[in-house]
Amino acid sequence: MNEFKELTKAEEQIMHELWEMGGGFVKDVIERLPEPKPAYNTVSTIVRILETKGFVTHISFGKSHQYRPKITKEEYKKVITGKLLTNYFDNSPKRMLSFFLEEKQMDIKELDDILALLNKHK
């Protein structure tokens, strides 16, 4: 399943809600979105695009559909992280970590946690 297309910001927002809920109807997704809420047709269109891209599937209940994630958040995270590592850090985790440190996107506590993880996996 490494051939996913990347999600747009709107698609990703919808997927996060579906992952969190484990699935739901369009109205359920809309209820969880922040204000200002998008129109029903907008969310419905995005969900159908997600289905076309292979991210969700549906079960029909008459004229309505319940949508469920077809891939897990973890699966998508691996693909996106792999693309980030390959496309921006020359496949070097060291360069990626260095970037986050230099950009001050990690604090000392997080760095200590990473060091503890590294020591655990030695």
Side-chain angles (χ1 to χ4, degrees):
M1 275 219 168
N2 276 354
E3 298 306 315
F4 302 132
K5 293 182 176 166
E6 286 187 49
L7 298 173
T8 65
K9 187 175 180 177
E11 292 167 349
E12 195 170 291
Q13 185 178 26
I14 302 295
M15 276 308 298
H16 278 287
E17 298 305 334
L18 288 171
W19 281 322
E20 184 86 15
M21 294 186 300
F25 296 90
V26 171
K27 67 176 182 58
D28 299 326
V29 173
I30 293 169
E31 286 174 12
R32 297 174 59 95
L33 294 173
E35 295 292 341
K37 306 254 186 224
Y40 183 94
N41 286 343
T42 302
V43 176
S44 180
T45 298
I46 292 169
V47 171
R48 285 194 313 273
I49 290 168
L50 287 168
E51 189 168 26
T52 300
K53 286 184 172 183
F55 283 89
V56 300
T57 187
H58 76 270
I59 300 168
S60 295
F61 293 93
K63 290 185 177 183
S64 62
H65 297 87
Q66 183 181 42
Y67 295 93
R68 295 182 179 198
K70 200 170 176 181
I71 65 154
T72 66
K73 189 175 182 178
E74 287 302 311
E75 288 172 313
Y76 187 66
K77 189 189 312 183
K78 286 178 187 175
V79 170
I80 291 305
T81 305
K83 285 182 179 182
L84 180 68
L85 195 60
T86 301
N87 295 337
Y88 294 94
F89 299 102
D90 298 323
N91 231 7
S92 170
K94 178 181 172 185
R95 285 185 183 168
M96 190 161 85
L97 179 59
S98 175
F99 171 81
F100 288 120
L101 289 171
E102 289 169 9
E103 293 297 312
K104 310 261 188 289
Q105 293 186 12
M106 294 179 107
D107 61 23
I108 298 297
K109 169 77 171 96
E110 288 174 315
L111 191 54
D112 284 343
D113 292 346
I114 289 170
L115 289 172
L117 265 173
L118 291 171
N119 286 327
K120 180 180 171 184
H121 289 282
K122 271 187 178 180

